[in-house]
């Protein structure tokens, strides 16, 4: 059991001044297991409401009660083949040498035709597959085993056993038999069984109605234009979709501003009309984060956990308000999704009458050491690639604020709260996001460039799965040396030889020339300080104006080397702003946080900024020679050399090598 103090919200006074005092007890961070235990204890056992559901809408629901077969299936004895209904005793002596002749009755039993005449000894009746067996007949001979004979007769050259090719009434499903048990999750096969019995409605566990709310002054809905400092509401859409995937009926109620009264109204309304309320954002205990204060007064017993030792996902808040789960997910989409899947999906599925998820798991090797915070259960998202001896799990480490780290990963593994690291080479059990691993055909690990997509597009169109993992040039080279990728895109400048890339290649790697990217000074079009100057002139002009702010690049970036050469020992305003990507440099200039920086031409042009060319950077590929023969690698090399790719690169502002 937990050593943490159990929150005792029952004696909480409604008085607002006490809320802040009460909140303090939730500053205790619970372990994941303790949080789950408290949440479950406050919610279960519970009765699951049921409803009647039409066959067409029943897929994915859990049956609320046993379904007994109301009829026999098939409802009558019927023929399984096209042939003739016979009396088997008539054919006891039939052989190739002495066929038996049977007179044909004046009737053809088609599907859906009730027979009118009996089959008397010495006669047969023509019958189609699915036709009801006529009185007197006890077997069917296949039409292939008969010969037409003169005067409306047939000859049969083999004996038949009683019951041959007959499907008896109730042989598939017997009336009164338990067709499907309560709790069964209805899929297409179960729908088939219900339909075969003529059942058009069943009682199922009612899908929990889940209200989804976002909160944050910064949120805009997809489809709206983005105002300055706003971001799109990602959680609303992703949580609603994940709810449908797990048996709930989601209603997205929109994003509410960080306004306590408005949010409380929205949450109270959501709670009154739904079985579950899932809010995201506003869980941090900073100013402006009000949602947990509201939840604390929505109903009993109230908050059961606020702060869980999870990474990502620490600010998760779990509450039960008058019997209904109310959850506040962390704002960062990846944290929101992990906590949702780990802590909320089990509750949602239980309330929907569904069994726990059975996610597929695979073993994979972790290629790099991963440090982990002691005391927090950590989830690491990974991309899977095929290594020399088995699967390799690449951490897709963009941090919990990155939606792509969730969307582009194949799965995740867990680092125990008691571990402070996973050593390089360790085996991990990876839980897959999809039922199967699809190992990519071509793996590209290294520096990312928008030009890369132009080259790999035809491969993807031809059905190859290309996985490109952005870890920077040096990370790519390391992966290539370990044989974990086919190609590592790099743009590394060697100061000594004043050349790109080649000096960095180790044994086993060879250079495939890629394209050139023009590096230069980016500024806002119309900025008089820079228009019409050379790059060197522009930097001089910038340094001459104390009000002029630059944006730098991170240490180790090829672009940074060029900047440092231009600046010498000068450290102008903005020097310490060192983002890790071209796009961030361009955004800083476009949004006026900086006046100039260095980037590549295509990125500057895409944002319609002014650009002064300086020097070309070489973006090439370190190819793992041992993997050169692989057809997908050849397909990539062909695509790279193709006129189409060269034209597309040139069009986008790159210069193919
Ligand atoms: P909060 O929990 O409100 O402090 O939010 C933490 C971070 O998550 C902030 O950067 C928010 O902008 C971001 N965030 C909050 N809600 C959403 C959302 N619905 N979609 C995308 N990002 C969000
Ligand atoms: Mg917020």
């Amino acid at each position: 059991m937990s050593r943490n103090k159990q929150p005792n919200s029952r004696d909480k006074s409604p008085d607002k001044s006490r809320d802040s005092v009460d909140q303090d007890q939730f500053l205790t961070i619970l372990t994941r297991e303790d949080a789950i235990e408290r949440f479950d204890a406050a919610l279960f056992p519970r009765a699951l409401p049921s409803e009647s559901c039409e066959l067409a809408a029943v897929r994915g629901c859990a049956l609320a009660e046993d379904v007994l077969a109301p009829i026999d299936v098939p409802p009558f004895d019927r023929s399984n083949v096209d042939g003739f209904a016979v009396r088997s005793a008539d054919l006891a002596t039939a052989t190739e040498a002495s066929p038996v002749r049977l007179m044909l009755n004046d009737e053809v039993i088609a599907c859906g035709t009730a027979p009118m005449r009996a089959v008397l000894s010495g006669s047969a009746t023509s019958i189609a597959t699915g036709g009801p067996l006529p009185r007197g007949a006890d077997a069917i001979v296949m039409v292939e085993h008969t010969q037409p004979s003169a005067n409306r007769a047939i000859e049969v050259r083999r004996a038949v056993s009683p019951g041959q090719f007959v499907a008896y009434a109730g042989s598939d499903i017997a009336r009164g038999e338990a067709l499907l048990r309560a709790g069964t999750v209805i899929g297409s096969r179960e729908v088939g069984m219900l339909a075969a019995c003529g059942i058009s409605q069943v009682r199922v566990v009612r899908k929990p109605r889940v209200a989804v709310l976002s909160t944050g002054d910064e949120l805009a809905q997809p489809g709206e234009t983005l105002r300055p400092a706003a971001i799109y509401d990602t959680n609303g859409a992703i949580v609603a979709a994940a709810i449908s995937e797990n048996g709930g009926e989601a209603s997205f109620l929109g994003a509410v501003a960080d306004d306590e009264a408005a949010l409380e109204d929205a949450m109270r309304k959501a709670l009154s009309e739904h079985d579950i309320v899932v809010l995201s954002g506003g869980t941090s205990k900073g100013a402006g984060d009000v949602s947990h204060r509201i939840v604390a007064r929505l109903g009993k017993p109230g908050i059961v956990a606020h702060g869980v030792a999870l990474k990502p996902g620490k600010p998760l808040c779990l509450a039960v308000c008058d019997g209904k789960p109310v959850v506040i997910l962390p704002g960062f989409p990846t944290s929101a999704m992990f906590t949702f899947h780990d802590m909320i999906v089990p509750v949602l599925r239980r309330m929907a009458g569904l069994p726990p998820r059975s996610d597929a798991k695979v073993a994979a090797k972790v290629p790099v050491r991963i440090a982990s915070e002691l005391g927090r259960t950590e989830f690491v998202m990974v991309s899977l690639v095929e290594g020399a001896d088995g699967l390799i799990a690449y951490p897709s480490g963009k941090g919990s604020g990155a939606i792509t780290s969730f969307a582009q990963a194949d799965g995740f593994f867990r680092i125990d709260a008691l571990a402070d690291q996973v050593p390089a080479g360790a085996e991990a059990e990876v839980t897959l996001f999809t039922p199967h691993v699809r190992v990519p055909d071509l793996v590209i690990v290294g520096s990312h460039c928008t030009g890369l997509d132009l080259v790999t597009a035809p491969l993807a169109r031809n059905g190859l799965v290309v996985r490109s993992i952005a870890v920077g040039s040096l990370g790519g080279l390391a992966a290539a040396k370990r044989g974990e990728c086919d190609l590592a895109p790099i743009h590394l400048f060697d100061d000594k030889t004043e050349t790109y890339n080649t000096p960095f290649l180790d044994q086993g790697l060879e250079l495939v020339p890629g394209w050139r990217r023009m590096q230069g000074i980016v500024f806002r079009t119309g900025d008089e300080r820079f228009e019409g100057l050379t790059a060197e002139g522009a930097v001089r002009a910038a340094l001459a104006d104390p009000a002029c702010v630059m944006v730098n690049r991170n240490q180790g970036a090829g672009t940074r080397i060029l900047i440092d050469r231009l600046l010498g020992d000068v450290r102008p305003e903005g020097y310490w702003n060192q983002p890790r990507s071209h796009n961030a440099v361009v955004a800083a200039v476009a949004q006026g946080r900086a006046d100039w920086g260095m980037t590549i031409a295509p990125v500057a042009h895409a944002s319609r900024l002014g650009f002064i060319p300086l020097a070309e950077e070489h973006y090439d590929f370190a190819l793992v020679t041992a993997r050169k023969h692989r057809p997908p690698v050849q397909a990539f090399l062909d695509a790279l050399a193709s006129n189409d790719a060269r034209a597309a690169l040139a069009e986008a502002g790159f210069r193919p090598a």
Side-chain angles (χ1 to χ4, degrees):
M1 223 358 244
S2 153
R3 279 174 287 126
N4 296 312
K5 194 175 147 229
Q6 184 85 24
N8 185 4
S9 337
R10 282 186 199 286
D11 38 38
K12 188 185 295 179
S13 100
D15 165 5
K16 275 201 179 180
S17 64
R18 287 237 12 223
D19 275 334
S20 59
V21 179
D22 284 355
Q23 283 311 311
D24 288 347
Q25 64 195 326
F26 305 120
L27 291 171
T28 322
I29 304 290
L30 299 183
T31 65
R32 170 181 175 273
E33 288 68 27
D34 283 345
I36 291 172
E37 193 181 304
R38 287 185 185 195
F39 201 30
D40 280 357
L43 286 170
F44 301 106
R46 65 195 289 126
L48 303 183
S50 69
E51 65 183 6
S52 171
C53 182
E54 293 288 329
L55 201 55
V58 79
R59 199 191 62 83
C61 295
L63 279 180
E65 50 194 37
D66 292 352
V67 177
L68 304 185
I71 58 162
D72 284 327
V73 178
F76 47 83
D77 301 345
R78 70 177 179 199
S79 174
N80 268 344
V81 294
D82 289 338
F84 299 92
V86 296
R87 300 172 76 104
S88 56
D90 285 351
L91 299 176
T93 61
T95 59
E96 282 292 331
S98 66
V100 171
R101 190 178 147 89
L102 298 173
M103 297 304 297
L104 277 182
N105 294 310
D106 181 19
E107 177 172 56
V108 173
I109 305 170
C111 260
T113 315
M116 305 300 288
R117 303 192 200 299
V119 173
L120 304 177
S121 186
S123 77
T125 299
S126 178
I127 188 166
T129 306
L133 203 65
R135 183 180 169 87
D138 61 28
I140 310 290
V141 271
M142 283 170 84
V143 68
E144 293 89 330
H145 298 153
T146 63
Q147 281 284 322
S149 174
N151 299 327
R152 297 194 45 75
I154 52 167
E155 284 188 347
V156 185
R157 292 167 190 278
R158 61 172 80 185
V160 297
S161 44
Q164 176 170 287
F165 300 131
V166 177
Y168 288 104
S171 57
D172 192 355
I173 300 166
R175 164 188 274 163
E177 165 185 353
L179 188 61
L180 294 167
R181 291 286 180 196
T184 304
V185 181
I186 306 292
S188 53
R189 293 174 304 167
E190 288 75 20
V191 167
M193 293 174 75
L194 295 169
C197 289
I199 298 170
S200 66
Q201 286 199 336
V202 282
R203 279 208 85 75
V204 296
V205 177
R206 179 166 67 64
K207 287 189 173 185
R209 298 183 187 124
V210 189
V212 180
L213 280 157
S214 303
T215 175
D217 293 338
E218 73 280 26
L219 299 179
Q221 290 307 312
E224 295 175 2
T225 37
L226 213 52
R227 4 173 248 290
I231 58 167
Y232 282 119
D233 178 359
T234 317
N235 296 345
I238 198 170
V239 170
I243 285 166
S244 317
E245 280 173 358
N246 287 285
E249 195 178 282
S251 324
F252 177 53
L253 304 181
V256 186
D258 287 316
D259 171 278
E260 193 153 346
L263 190 57
E264 180 157 358
D265 276 357
M267 291 198 69
R268 284 193 184 279
K269 186 157 189 294
L271 191 61
S272 71
E273 292 167 2
H274 297 83
D275 304 310
I276 303 177
V277 176
V278 181
L279 175 76
S280 68
T283 57
S284 326
K285 286 155 189 165
D289 289 316
V290 295
S291 31
H292 62 268
R293 284 212 299 271
I294 297 169
V295 170
R297 52 180 184 256
L298 283 186
K300 306 264 158 160
I303 294 176
V304 296
H306 184 198
V308 181
L310 279 176
K311 187 179 176 184
K314 189 168 167 185
L316 177 71
C317 176
L318 304 174
V320 176
C321 301
D322 297 337
K324 296 179 182 180
V326 176
V327 173
I328 315 173
L329 301 174
F332 275 141
T334 296
S335 312
M337 284 327 291
F338 256 105
T339 44
F340 183 79
H341 279 283
D342 191 49
M343 312 278 283
I344 317 306
V345 162
V347 166
L348 172 60
R349 294 184 68 92
R350 224 169 135 180
M351 286 176 66
L354 302 179
R357 274 179 88 99
S358 52
D359 292 319
K361 295 189 165 89
V362 293
K365 201 151 94 186
V366 183
V368 288
R369 174 180 179 275
I370 302 173
S372 177
E373 193 181 316
L374 260 182
R376 275 171 88 183
T377 304
E378 183 164 347
F379 296 99
V380 182
M381 272 163 291
V382 294
S383 293
L384 292 172
V385 301
E386 187 88 66
D389 39 32
L391 289 173
I392 308 231
Y394 253 100
S396 45
K398 279 201 191 173
S400 56
I403 179 70
T404 47
S405 49
F406 191 74
Q408 289 171 2
D410 293 305
F412 64 90
F413 69 87
R414 248 176 79 173
I415 305 180
D416 195 85
L418 297 176
D420 64 350
Q421 65 143 347
V422 175
E427 279 281 318
E429 186 187 56
V430 176
T431 302
L432 300 178
F433 288 139
T434 52
H436 305 286
V437 210
R438 168 111 202 242
V439 175
D441 301 297
L442 184 72
V443 181
I444 302 176
V445 180
S447 164
H448 185 256
C449 174
T450 49
L452 199 51
D453 297 334
L454 302 175
V455 177
T456 56
L459 277 65
R461 280 199 293 273
N462 287 333
L464 290 179
V465 177
V466 180
R467 172 66 48 75
S468 113
I469 302 173
V471 297
S473 296
L474 289 172
L477 273 182
K481 272 185 242 170
R482 290 191 303 258
E484 292 161 7
C485 62
D486 298 293
L487 295 143
I490 53 174
H491 51 106
L492 292 165
F493 186 73
D494 179 48
D495 252 340
K496 258 191 247 118
T497 57
E498 303 236 322
T499 55
Y500 271 100
N501 300 336
T502 319
F504 294 89
L505 295 187
D506 285 275
Q507 226 182 356
L509 301 180
E510 57 191 87
L511 195 81
V512 176
W515 47 89
R516 307 281 189 265
R517 316 196 293 188
M518 182 55 81
Q519 298 265 11
I521 304 291
V522 61
F523 62 97
R524 284 181 300 281
T525 327
D527 189 333
E528 296 289 339
R529 289 171 294 193
F530 303 117
E531 289 286 3
L533 299 182
T534 62
E536 290 82 356
V539 172
R540 270 197 304 276
L543 296 182
D545 176 2
C548 197
V549 177
M550 76 169 294
V551 50
N552 202 349
R553 276 298 306 277
N554 55 305
Q555 193 75 44
T559 309
R560 172 66 176 270
I561 296 169
L562 296 177
I563 297 173
D564 282 345
R565 288 176 149 210
L566 283 174
L567 287 180
D569 293 333
V570 194
R571 297 285 175 268
E573 178 73 19
Y575 182 89
W576 299 107
N577 181 17
Q578 304 185 348
R580 307 188 65 86
S581 77
H582 291 297
N583 293 58
V585 168
V586 163
V589 173
Q591 293 159 9
R593 275 173 285 127
D595 302 307
W596 71 278
M598 190 169 297
T599 189
I600 56 174
V603 180
H605 290 145
S607 289
R608 298 175 199 286
L609 292 175
F611 183 77
I612 305 169
L614 171 65
E616 274 190 330
E617 172 186 66
H618 296 210
Y619 183 88
D620 299 322
F621 297 88
L623 168 62
V624 180
T625 304
R627 299 173 76 137
K628 193 175 177 178
H629 65 278
R630 299 183 62 243
V633 175
Q634 288 300 320
F636 176 84
L637 297 178
D638 291 345
L640 182 61
S642 72
N643 288 334
D644 281 357
R646 296 174 69 86
L649 285 166
E651 162 92 28
F654 303 104
R655 197 165 67 83

